[in-house]
Each structure stands twice: as C-alpha cells, then as structure tokens.
Amino acid sequence: DSGVTQTPKHLITATGQRVTLRCSPRSGDLSVYWYQQSLDQGLQFLIQYYNGEERAKGNILERFSAQQFPDLHSELNLSSLELGDSALYFCASSEGIAGPWGTGELFFGEGSRLTVL
Amino acid sequence: DQQVKQNSPSLSVQEGRISILNCDYTNSMFDYFLWYKKYPAEGPTFLISISSIKDKNEDGRFTVFLNKSAKHLSLHIVPSQPGDSAVYFCAAVVSYFNKFYFGSGTKLNVKP
C-alpha cells in the first residue's frame, strides 16, 4: 500500500461525456502528479501540482484540467471524452521536489481505469 | 518527443541468472534517474535511483549503472527471481523543473 488513494478504480462512460478522477496523496506529501498510461504505452506525464499550485505541465490536452485543493487532494477532469482517452490514469505523490538532494521517489496509486465507449 | 526510451519491450531470463534492463535518454539536463517496477493491477513502485554525479548505485540484488557520455542507464538484477517478473520503467528527472519522464517499460519474465 503506497498510501496514495485513487477513486474510482474503474469507470465506463460514453464519448462526449465528462468525468472526474480523484486522488488523495500520502499524508504529508505536497506534490501530486498525474500520468496517463494507454495500452502498451509508457507513463505519459500530464501535470504536477505542488502545495496547491501548478508546477509542471506535460502532454495534457486542453480538454483535460486538474487542480489541487487546500487539503492537498487533487482532481483530474476529463471532458468531451473520446475513444482514445481510454487509459489507466495514475496519480502519484512525493514529499517535495526530486533531485540529488532528495529521494526522488514518487508513490503511485493503483490507478483509475477509464473506458470510453 | 520521447526523451526516455526503453527499446526492449520484453525480456525473458532464467531464474538465478542476471537480468539487464536498458534505458536511453536524450536530454543532457536530466540529473536524476529512477527505476520503477509495476505488477499487474498495481501502481508502479520505486525500486532504485541514481544521481547524475554517480555512475553506480547498488541496493541488494539491484544495481543501476549510469553512463552519461552514452546517455545510457541500465538496471542489473542478480540473481533474478520469479517474483521479479514485472514491467520495469526507467524515469529521468530534470530536478530544476521537477518533471519526470518515463520510458515505455520493459516486461521482465523470470522463468523458474
């Protein structure tokens, strides 16, 4: 158990719909990261928040948005869903900032599997 | 723009032998590298890391080697065990920007 909680674990929806994925980081972790893993693909970095503020952005579509709340939980909103958005969405958290002065560990949740029909 | 590449999607090794997983990167600004292991239906878990100021880091059966001139990273598992069968992701970080880049993963199968 990594201590990172993601809900829902599975979600099936239709094209054009909107969904919200939720992530609770490990206690004390200030950074939250969102990753997308499509079939046979690696982990694609979407976005990172640190203590409520957006810190880094990856290949996140404009139809997707995220935020981190004062209690440090985060939500990833996916709208106007397309078939290609079907994927595993992982949330990860870390205490602070990676680098030679830190462990650099990301602790991952078990993921939310989104299926768009 | 794939800055971290794992060119072998799969690897099969006999139990007790060495497993070598490879990773190449293109961005010379990466200064921290990590390996993650992922079992089916679970999130990736941190395995081992190495700073760019080092060329080797060892933790039990796991050793990570970094060759900066070749922009190449490898993970050695000795001896390999069936429980090591999983997907292994390498990741690279530009610490200043705190952005993690992951490879596409290598599926390791350790045969009993």
Side-chain angles (χ1 to χ4, degrees), chain A residues 14 39 58 69 74 86 108 111-112:
Chain A
L39 189 65
F69 295 88
S74 178
S86 296
F108 282 83
S112 293

Side-chain angles (χ1 to χ4, degrees), chain A residues 57-72:
Chain A
K57 219 168 187 176
N59 300 321
I60 186 167
L61 299 173
E62 286 190 12
R63 299 184 286 109
F64 296 0
S65 65
Q67 54 184 325
Q68 186 180 25
F69 295 88
D71 66 353
L72 301 178

Side-chain angles (χ1 to χ4, degrees), chain A residues 25-26 28-33 47-56 67-74 92-97, chain B residues 98:
Chain A
R26 288 190 324 153
D29 283 358
L30 299 178
S31 282
V32 169
Y33 307 73
I47 197 163
Q48 184 218 346
Y49 283 86
Y50 178 77
N51 202 21
E53 295 192 3
E54 183 183 303
R55 173 106 182 158
Q67 54 184 325
Q68 186 180 25
F69 295 88
D71 66 353
L72 301 178
H73 92 270
S74 178
S93 74
S94 69
E95 183 179 328
I97 298 173
Chain B
N98 201 33

Side-chain angles (χ1 to χ4, degrees), chain B residues 1-28:
Chain B
D1 177 18
Q2 204 171 352
Q3 301 192 40
V4 179
K5 293 182 182 179
Q6 292 177 257
N7 293 316
S8 298
S10 64
L11 175 68
S12 189
V13 171
Q14 203 67 36
E15 180 180 6
R17 304 295 291 269
I18 184 171
S19 295
I20 300 177
L21 297 98
N22 293 305
C23 180
D24 297 295
Y25 62 94
T26 57
N27 190 341
S28 57

